[in-house]
Each structure stands twice: as structure tokens, then as C-alpha cells.
Amino acid sequence: MSARTSQNSPRSPRISGEIAAFDGAETILDAWGSGITPDPALTVSEWADRERFLSPRASAEPGRYRTDRTPYMRAIMDALSPTNATRRIVFMKAAQVGATEAGNNWIGYVIHHAPGPMLAVQPTVELAKRFSRQRIDPLIAESPALRERVKPQRSRDAGNTMLSKEFPAGLLVITGANSAVGLRSMPARYLFLDEVDAYPPSADDEGDPVALAEARTRTFSWRSKVFLTSTPTIHGVSRIEREFEASDQRRFFVACPHCGHRQWLRFERLRWDKGEPNTAHYVCEACDGAIAEHHKTAMMEGGEWRPTRPVSTSGTMGYHLSGLYSPVGWLSWADIARMWEAAQASDEAKRSFKNGVLGETWIETGEAPDWQRLYERRGAHRFGIVPSGGLFLTAGADLQKDRIEVSVWAWGRGLTSWLVDHVVIPGGPDSADAWATVTELLGRTWPHAYGPRLGIVRLAVDTGFETAAVYAWARAQGAAQVAAIKGVDGFNRVSPVIGPTFVDATEGGRKIRRGARLWTVAVSTFKSETYRFLRLARPTDEERAEGVVDPPGAIHLPHGVDAEWVKQLVAEHLVTVTTKRGFQKLEWQKMRERNEALDCRVYARAAAWIVGADRWTEEKWRDLEDQIGPSQGDDAAEVDHEAGLLARPSAPAAKRSSDWLGPRKKWL
């Protein structure tokens, strides 16, 4: 055994003349000493205050990050620190309260002080790219400690790309919840799941994206950390609500400036004079004292998180925060009062307020509207005629074993719609004659009240039955006018239609790779919207005489539609069911066997989304009105062929549903 090296040994780097005389020896020794010096025991919030700088590109308040600006985030960030034993942290919150920046601070902390493989998931790959450009790149560029560890992005440097950032002893991968490949690309010690309620129900048909992502952390066991954050959406469907309810349900308690009583802020105790949002103030639940906006800063500085459900079997820390806690200068109580008054105009506005401002889920009204009331409320317009407000047509095709049913809907401003026609084609999807008739419908035109004839802009056809036949027909017609769609369960308000994606198709016994284009549709979203639109109150005859018009989204049925069709339109209702794992979810169930009218409506609505009607500008709508307006004659049909919004009057005519089944129409 060799003798231990003494202080006087020439091999000792302290006194070695050879080492001391070596150029750069001091640098080597400094690096060696730095390497064996322990890192400071910082929490994520302490690191952010010390190292984080906000870029003007990504923040309204650029400069050094200050946790004191959002003091409620301190405990959440510190729970993400390695010194905290909690593995899962859930944050259900209002929009724009600083949650994503807290996640970014965690990313910066991991890169600097606790390196390891990290996965950050956004709702889609496209949003992941935007997140990388707008949040992660400025995070690295503006913080010197991170710039030293992440190489500059260059096209030939695989270590730093848009969706992958390498750093010493670690790797950050950014992906979308719609990409199963991205979610199973690597093991991850750290997992940041942002806006989980906007995730699709399934990632490339491989299962729930949250479950797929969390499976990546299993090999790290107790050393892993998972941070889930989102603004909630619909009760019974919301992922973040489900996770929060399984946690210890922490609320941020603040002290009343008058009596000192600690309470968490509820919207019900925000008071103001009707029509005067600037008078908004909060009323203490203990002393009924009026708390003004200017008290908020001091209240939040002394606030604390308290679990409201002390016993949590999941071992998950859960936090909930509403916009009432938004720092002074961001969202005021007067702003919240003003937004609530404006939200009274529609259920959709109320839902946005409850989700985005209060951070609470919206309870959908799933009861079907009364079909008799809808039948009695039929409009004066006739089958086969596009009313004056209709600006373009879409169609939805539903396939049954012995028939194909197609509904043609006209759409106007605010997604107001009119049923123009419903065609029942005998034969089913295995009949060449039936498909020939559907093809004929694509070339048919319907007369408009102002003179021009309109054709179908886009027809959406369901691929759930006889998939190969639908792919073959849709492929033959081309993607410009036909959209093959696949319905999926769940609600997706952000993007109820996703795609298109290319799928394999079979034609003549030959498999064609990427042979068809498929759109994925969250049918529950459009069913709820349809029921909501059907419930809208209509102006009375006296109000119409005074110029009051129907609300946006109103659904108009022609005088000729029969009772059976109306019953089919409201044939389902939304119920809460309990899964095998004990979770509750919303599910559409039939109240009667026939529901083709509702399915066709949903598909036609999806076609309107695909055309882009939900995103059209005022200029676009005005342009359509100018083309179709009362001053235009039949020649107006020649104005916009390329956009496909008006069809040529010479297009061949197809039979209407009443012609298929004789003078007395029956709905099969």
C-alpha cells in the first residue's frame, strides 16, 4: 500500500513547485475549488429573485423577477424545490396570475442547480414551439446563469434546438400533448404540464396525454417532481379540477385589514352598485367591513396557504387561486365587476368569466331542450331556400347501414344558422348509387332570398362507420370540398377540431400510405353549443317590430321540418357517470334511438369551423354580405369562385328529401 501523501510531498498541488510554475495553474486550482464547493441551498423562489430577469419580449414588467409581486406563488414554487418531499403539485387557477412564469422559474432552477431530464408539455406541438420561442428562449437569454449552461441555438448544434435544450447533466424537451411520440421520447425526472385542460382526450389514439407523460417519471420514483397547472373548463370533464379535488385543496387566506380575520376570497363577497363597477369592494365575512382595492397588496404579503381538506390520500398538494388575488395593476376588482356585468349577455360569456376570472369550472346544462317548443318556434323560411342572413352553406353527412343522411345548413354572422335542407339517400355506404347521389349534392346549388344560388362550401362526413368506403369517396372528391372527420369523446373549447392528419387508406385492395386526410372533432363541444343556441331567447313580435334581432348563434328551423326531425335534433342529454377508477365525467347518452339530425348538425358545424367561420374578421363577413346583398343579381354567383363560397347557377340539381320519399316526407 502506498504511503499517504504529506503536506511536504512534491506530489501535493499546494506546494508543488512544478504546478505552481505552470501557466494557468491558478485557473485550474480555482476551477477545482469551485467544483467541490456545495451549491447554495436555494429554493425555487429564492433562485428566481436572485437569478431571473424578465424580457420585454415575454413580460409586461421587464427586469428582475420579484416574487413579492405575486406572493401567493412563493409556496407553490418552493414546493417544486428538491428539499420539499411533495412529488405532485396541482395549481387550478384563473388566467394570467403568474403560473406559467412560476413553471419557467422551475425550469431555470433545474438548469442551474438541480440538473436532470425535464419534460415540458403544452397542449399542442405548435403551442410548444411558441412557448419555446416566447418563454424559454428569453428565459435563457436574459439570465446570465442560464446563458452559461445552454449553448446558443444554431442550426448545426443538435444540443439546442427549438424543442430541445441541452445543459450540463440535463436535458429539457418541450413537446405537445397531441404528440404521443414526444410524450414517450425519454424518461423524465421533472415534468411540467401546462394548461392540462386544453390537452386533447388522447395523444395520437395512444391514451390520455397526462398519464402517458407521468409514466415517463416512474424510473425516478421518489426523486421525481410533477407540476400540473391549468385554467379549468367544464365540470366533470376538467382534468385540473379532478386533480385538485384529489389533493389537500389549499386556499390562500388573507387577513381583513379591519378585524384581522383570515379568509380566502370569494366572488360572492365582492360588492358594487349596479352599473357602477368602479364602486367594487370586498366585504369581510367576519366584520362586514368594506375592504378597498388598495388594501390588497398588504393583505397578500401576509397571506398564507391553508389546506381545506387536510386528509389527502393522493399525497398531492393542490392550490386554487381566483383573479380576485391579481396584483394591483393587473386585474382590479372594478375590472372583475365590469366583466361580470358584460358576461350577462350569454352563457358563453359567463363560462369564460367563471373559467378565466374565477378559476372555477362551468357546469354544462345537459338537459335537452323541449322538442315541442322548438317545433312550435319554426321559422317562416321554406325548405330549399337560403334566408337573407345566410352567407354560406356547409353540410354534414351521417352514415347508417341502409341510408346516408345529409343536412345542409346556412351560416351567418355570429354563427347564426338556418336549416336549408335534409336529404335521406337510400342505399347506405356500400352502395355506389348512394355515393353518386352524395357527389351530386356537392354540385347542387340552393337559391338565396336575394337571388344568387349558393353551393356547399364544405361537407363533413363521419368515418366511424364503413371507414374504408368513406376514405375512398372523400379522397376521390378532394379535400377542398369534403372533410373526413372522426368524432372523439370529451370537450375541447380551445380547438374542438384538430387536423388534418394523414391516415392510411385502402383502395381496390391496395393500401395507400397517407392516402386520406382526417379531421378529429370533439363532438361533445358542438353538441353542448347546439343545445345552448337552441335555448336562446327570441325577440317577441313587438320587439322585432322595434328592430330587435335574434341573438348571435340562434338556430332557425324551416316551417316545413316535421316533428320527427326535431325530436332527433334533441335526442341526447348530458349525464354525469362514474368511471371504473372512481372519477366522474360527463357523457352524452341517447334518450331515443334516432339521433341522425343531431349528428348531421354537429358535422355541418365542424365543417363551418374547418372553413374558418369562427376566426373570420369583420372585413370577411362584410365582403360576403356585399357579394350576396339585395343589390346583387344572379351574376353575383360568379364573384368568388376560388373561395368556394358561391357556386355557379349552372351546377346540376339534386333531389330534395321530400322527392326521395314521395310527397309526404317521412324520416326513416
Side-chain angles (χ1 to χ4, degrees):
M1 179 180 293
S2 61
R4 182 177 177 180
T5 303
S6 69
Q7 289 276 332
N8 298 323
S9 170
R11 297 175 60 186
S12 172
R14 280 190 177 182
I15 61 174
S16 171
E18 294 180 5
I19 295 293
F22 181 75
D23 287 343
E26 186 175 347
T27 302
I28 294 174
L29 292 175
D30 287 344
W32 176 77
S34 175
I36 65 172
T37 301
D39 290 330
L42 297 176
T43 63
V44 173
S45 66
E46 290 170 340
W47 178 90
D49 289 337
R50 178 173 171 174
E51 303 287 354
R52 177 84 193 276
F53 291 86
L54 299 174
S55 167
R57 290 169 50 194
S59 175
E61 299 180 1
R64 185 178 288 278
Y65 183 89
R66 293 180 298 123
T67 304
D68 288 342
R69 191 76 173 100
T70 54
Y72 47 77
M73 293 306 308
R74 187 182 306 279
I76 298 174
M77 287 191 286
D78 291 350
L80 296 168
S81 305
T83 52
N84 190 295
T86 305
R87 287 188 55 207
R88 298 180 85 253
I89 296 92
V90 172
F91 189 22
M92 184 170 76
K93 45 78 179 184
Q96 301 298 316
V97 294
T100 300
E101 287 302 335
N104 293 342
N105 291 339
W106 185 36
I107 292 173
Y109 180 91
V110 167
I111 293 174
H112 191 186
H113 278 303
M118 186 172 197
L119 183 63
V121 184
Q122 293 291 311
T124 66
V125 173
E126 208 50 47
L127 289 176
K129 293 177 180 177
R130 187 187 307 174
F131 175 74
S132 177
R133 290 193 303 268
Q134 297 181 355
R135 297 298 186 96
I136 301 303
D137 287 347
L139 166 71
I140 296 169
E142 299 295 330
S143 301
L146 303 183
R147 282 202 308 268
E148 296 176 357
R149 286 162 172 77
V150 182
K151 296 179 182 179
Q153 184 170 329
R154 295 188 296 272
S155 59
R156 294 185 180 180
D157 186 357
N160 185 353
T161 65
M162 182 176 293
L163 297 179
S164 177
K165 311 290 182 184
E166 284 188 5
F167 49 92
L171 171 67
L172 169 66
V173 171
I174 309 166
T175 190
N178 60 339
S179 171
V181 173
L183 294 177
R184 51 180 165 80
S185 60
M186 66 173 211
R189 179 181 177 184
Y190 307 108
L191 179 60
F192 178 24
L193 302 171
D194 196 16
E195 292 300 338
V196 295
D197 270 21
Y199 289 5
S202 179
D204 295 334
D205 295 327
E206 293 193 19
D208 177 47
V210 172
L212 289 176
E214 288 209 59
R216 302 294 93 203
T217 67
R218 288 175 187 163
T219 55
F220 286 91
S221 185
W222 58 270
R223 294 186 298 151
S224 64
K225 286 276 186 181
V226 181
F227 183 32
L228 301 92
T229 177
S230 185
T231 300
T233 50
I234 300 171
H235 175 68
V237 175
S238 170
R239 285 188 175 96
I240 200 69
E241 181 188 49
R242 184 169 66 241
E243 296 286 355
F244 177 74
E245 289 181 346
S247 72
D248 56 5
Q249 300 182 15
R250 296 172 181 242
R251 308 276 186 172
F252 198 63
F253 283 71
V254 294
C256 171
H258 307 302
C259 69
H261 173 72
R262 287 191 173 270
Q263 59 205 293
W264 62 275
L265 302 183
R266 297 172 170 87
F267 176 65
E268 293 76 18
R269 303 203 67 81
L270 188 68
R271 309 287 169 75
W272 67 92
D273 297 333
K274 188 175 181 180
E276 298 182 28
N278 289 333
T279 63
H281 59 279
Y282 193 87
V283 177
C284 173
E285 66 183 21
C287 68
D288 288 333
I291 304 173
E293 179 86 20
H294 65 82
H295 289 122
K296 191 194 296 185
T297 300
M299 291 168 63
M300 289 201 302
E301 286 176 354
E304 62 180 0
W305 288 99
R306 293 181 180 177
T308 57
R309 183 192 176 206
V311 179
S312 172
T313 58
S314 67
T316 299
M317 276 188 179
Y319 302 83
H320 176 266
L321 197 81
S322 75
L324 293 169
Y325 293 92
S326 188
V328 173
W330 289 12
L331 181 69
S332 69
W333 289 342
D335 292 334
I336 293 174
R338 191 175 296 109
M339 293 168 70
W340 173 248
E341 290 191 345
Q344 304 311 300
S346 67
D347 281 350
E348 187 67 19
K350 290 179 183 177
R351 184 194 68 81
S352 296
F353 179 87
K354 198 160 188 181
N355 292 166
V357 177
L358 301 185
E360 298 174 358
T361 53
W362 171 259
I363 299 177
E364 287 280 4
T365 304
E367 294 182 3
D370 180 25
W371 74 267
Q372 290 180 315
R373 182 169 174 268
L374 298 177
Y375 183 74
E376 293 168 357
R377 205 170 65 176
R378 291 171 299 168
H381 80 277
R382 295 182 292 118
F383 254 120
I385 303 295
V386 183
S388 58
L391 300 177
F392 70 98
L393 304 181
T394 67
D398 182 56
L399 278 60
Q400 300 295 321
K401 185 176 181 180
D402 59 350
R403 66 194 183 281
I404 299 175
E405 301 203 17
V406 182
S407 289
V408 180
W409 286 84
W411 301 89
R413 282 179 176 270
L415 295 176
T416 299
S417 58
W418 296 261
L419 176 66
V420 173
D421 215 339
H422 186 86
V423 180
V424 180
I425 303 171
D430 58 349
S431 167
D433 290 341
W435 285 116
T437 305
V438 182
T439 303
E440 185 183 2
L441 281 176
L442 294 176
R444 180 184 168 180
T445 61
W446 286 259
H448 193 280
Y450 287 153
R453 299 184 68 88
L454 275 64
I456 295 172
V457 178
R458 193 69 58 96
L459 180 145
V461 55
D462 181 32
T463 62
F465 181 63
E466 295 290 349
T467 304
V470 178
Y471 283 169
W473 178 79
R475 186 169 179 269
Q477 305 312 311
Q481 197 178 10
V482 174
I485 65 172
K486 174 186 177 182
V488 295
D489 293 333
F491 292 80
N492 190 335
R493 297 278 186 177
V494 177
S495 183
V497 181
I498 299 174
T501 57
F502 287 93
V503 294
D504 296 345
T506 303
E507 190 170 307
R510 181 171 61 93
K511 186 175 182 179
I512 304 173
R513 288 184 57 80
R514 297 167 60 85
R517 290 166 35 124
L518 182 67
W519 299 81
T520 302
V521 179
V523 292
S524 294
T525 301
F526 288 141
K527 287 178 181 179
S528 292
E529 179 193 80
T530 296
Y531 279 18
R532 187 167 63 251
F533 286 169
L534 286 171
R535 290 193 190 92
L536 292 174
R538 301 291 182 84
T540 63
D541 292 340
E542 293 78 11
E543 289 173 333
R544 292 186 188 277
E546 296 174 359
V548 179
V549 297
D550 288 313
I555 295 176
H556 301 269
L557 305 180
H559 184 71
V561 71
D562 67 10
E564 172 61 21
W565 191 93
V566 179
K567 290 178 182 179
Q568 291 183 21
L569 185 63
V570 292
E572 299 183 18
H573 66 163
L574 194 62
V575 299
T576 301
V577 298
T578 303
T579 66
K580 293 180 180 179
R581 298 176 60 192
F583 294 122
Q584 289 188 330
K585 70 172 186 175
L586 294 178
E587 185 177 278
W588 286 94
Q589 294 183 355
K590 289 183 181 180
M591 296 183 294
R592 61 197 313 275
E593 185 60 29
R594 300 288 306 280
N595 67 339
E596 291 85 355
L598 177 59
D599 286 343
C600 288
R601 158 73 190 194
V602 167
Y603 304 153
R605 172 67 179 93
W609 175 283
I610 293 170
V611 168
D614 295 75
R615 302 170 295 283
W616 281 347
T617 62
E618 170 65 22
E619 182 181 2
K620 178 69 172 180
W621 287 108
R622 192 163 51 244
D623 180 55
L624 292 178
E625 289 171 338
D626 290 343
Q627 294 180 47
I628 302 177
S631 63
Q632 305 291 330
D634 287 346
D635 292 339
E638 304 293 334
V639 175
D640 194 14
H641 294 311
E642 293 184 2
L645 294 170
L646 293 175
R648 296 179 182 274
S650 58
K655 295 181 180 181
R656 287 184 47 209
S657 54
S658 56
D659 298 327
W660 286 112
L661 301 173
R664 296 189 64 182
K665 178 172 54 183
K666 289 172 55 181
W667 303 100
L668 295 177

